[in-house]
Amino acid sequence: MAFVAPPGYQPIYGPSIPYLGPIYGGLREGVSIYIQGSIPEDITRFFLNLLCGESESSDIALHFNPRFDGWDKVVFNSCEEGSWGSEDKTRDMPFSKGEAFEMVIVVMSQGYQIKVNGNDFYTFQHRLPLERVRAMQIAGDVCIQTINVIGGGFPGSNLPVRENTPVPYSNMIPGGMYPKRTLIIRGMLPYGAERLCINFMVSRSRDIAFHMNPRVREGVVVRNSMIGGNWGQEDRELSMNPFSEGQYFDMSIRCGSERFKVFVNGQHLFDFFHRLQSFNEIDMLEIEGDVQISYIHF
């Protein structure tokens, strides 16, 4: 069965650059655009445009343009009816040559708040009505891994977890687990990371219905359960291991009536069959280990 993303979460994986694609449903206050990518060593510049139409000649509500030209800077602007506005610029450069990045554009009432690698970077005041934005364009010297547009009144709740939130993380799952429910976990394994542990638990009994344990140094992803205080048999076989040091990951865990289906960076990784008969009692998520969490989407 093909993976179907939950409403409001339609990730784009590995788009070719230059990229030009629609933002379905447009923008509204509360929407966030999440972009994961990397900067090549030989970068000169790249740009991201939020467009008021689906062609390159459309008005530009936000022009975001990092330039590595000896006088490193990031330029912001807008363009209406073919005429560019006045440039905003900052000499702060949040990107590093040869390194991965995570960028978030949060749509706020006063403007676009831009965060890079978990840090507030710049807020660009609205010049064109955000309701006009219909598409996104990315071009230049950049590699993009994922583009996600989420939030802003879509069904379901978006529960962001800031990168400086302490791990271990433990929280109730609103409404518990049920067939077709999908959880999204995004994060990064820093250099030197050895392990990550994700547990789907029954809070009442402390049973671990589904234990997922990527072991970075060993190159394996261990899956198991602990019911009545006893660990079950480990599953270890995988055709690939997407978890490595210094890399971001975008994980989707979908609960079915018979199994959990786990996708990482858009690729199906494995299925884990339910060992707890009453899997709908699962109501708690715990995360621990060497990991930085960007957000969790229930």
Side-chain angles (χ1 to χ4, degrees):
M1 177 184 292
F3 168 55
V4 178
Y9 184 89
Q10 304 294 335
I12 298 162
Y13 293 102
S16 57
I17 303 297
Y19 166 82
L20 176 59
I23 297 175
Y24 296 106
L27 294 184
R28 65 185 72 78
E29 191 176 343
V31 168
S32 293
I33 302 170
Y34 292 80
I35 298 171
Q36 292 172 301
S38 59
I39 302 295
E41 289 282 359
D42 58 351
I43 182 174
T44 302
R45 62 178 61 187
F46 76 93
F47 69 82
L48 178 149
N49 289 336
L50 296 181
L51 301 173
C52 298
E54 294 186 31
S55 73
E56 293 185 14
S57 59
S58 302
D59 287 350
I60 301 170
L62 167 65
H63 173 70
F64 174 81
N65 179 206
R67 301 176 185 177
F68 292 76
D69 54 8
W71 298 88
D72 295 357
K73 57 184 172 290
V74 180
V75 173
F76 301 84
N77 211 336
S78 61
C79 184
E80 191 168 12
E81 296 182 358
S83 297
W84 287 97
S86 59
E87 286 187 348
D88 291 355
K89 66 181 69 171
T90 175
R91 295 285 180 190
D92 259 344
M93 176 54 73
F95 304 99
S96 299
K97 294 181 179 181
E99 293 192 8
F101 68 86
E102 182 176 57
M103 174 177 164
V104 184
I105 303 173
V106 183
V107 182
M108 305 178 71
S109 59
Q110 70 270 33
Y112 300 102
Q113 183 185 42
I114 296 168
K115 304 183 180 188
V116 180
N117 298 331
N119 300 312
D120 288 342
F121 174 58
Y122 195 88
T123 298
F124 181 75
Q125 304 293 321
H126 290 304
R127 298 179 181 178
L128 282 68
L130 65 91
E131 294 81 7
R132 291 185 57 200
V133 174
R134 289 289 175 267
M136 186 188 318
Q137 178 186 21
I138 304 175
D141 308 321
V142 67
C143 299
I144 300 299
Q145 180 186 349
T146 59
I147 302 171
N148 303 330
V149 180
I150 88 167
F154 290 108
S157 57
N158 300 314
L159 301 182
V161 181
R162 296 186 182 276
E163 287 193 354
N164 60 5
T165 294
V167 172
Y169 166 89
S170 179
N171 215 334
M172 302 301 289
I173 300 171
M177 296 302 291
Y178 46 82
K180 298 186 179 179
R181 179 158 206 181
T182 300
L183 267 66
I184 307 298
I185 301 173
R186 165 169 295 148
M188 188 191 78
L189 294 169
Y191 289 101
E194 295 187 3
R195 60 185 288 278
L196 160 65
C197 178
I198 299 171
N199 291 326
F200 285 80
M201 306 181 65
V202 178
S203 62
R204 176 180 53 80
S205 63
R206 300 298 294 176
D207 284 345
I208 302 175
F210 173 32
H211 167 78
M212 179 179 172
N213 177 209
R215 300 178 185 175
V216 180
R217 297 292 172 84
E218 296 177 47
V220 299
V221 180
V222 174
R223 292 90 72 194
N224 208 339
S225 61
M226 188 185 74
I227 299 172
N230 299 312
W231 285 102
Q233 183 174 342
E234 289 185 347
D235 293 347
R236 285 176 167 250
E237 295 300 316
L238 277 184
S239 58
M240 64 173 182
N241 178 16
F243 299 99
S244 57
E245 296 177 67
Q247 294 297 312
Y248 291 99
F249 62 83
D250 189 347
M251 187 187 318
S252 163
I253 302 170
R254 182 178 174 88
C255 182
S257 57
E258 297 180 350
R259 73 196 85 180
F260 288 97
K261 297 182 75 70
V262 176
F263 296 76
V264 179
N265 300 335
Q267 301 294 314
H268 176 247
L269 189 61
F270 63 82
D271 290 355
F272 183 82
F273 284 85
H274 294 308
R275 298 177 181 179
L276 192 68
Q277 299 241 331
S278 52
F279 67 88
N280 56 355
E281 290 186 24
I282 298 169
D283 60 358
M284 177 175 281
L285 175 67
E286 291 192 347
I287 303 174
E288 60 182 18
D290 310 313
V291 64
Q292 297 173 355
I293 298 298
S294 303
Y295 77 82
I296 298 171
H297 173 77
F298 290 97

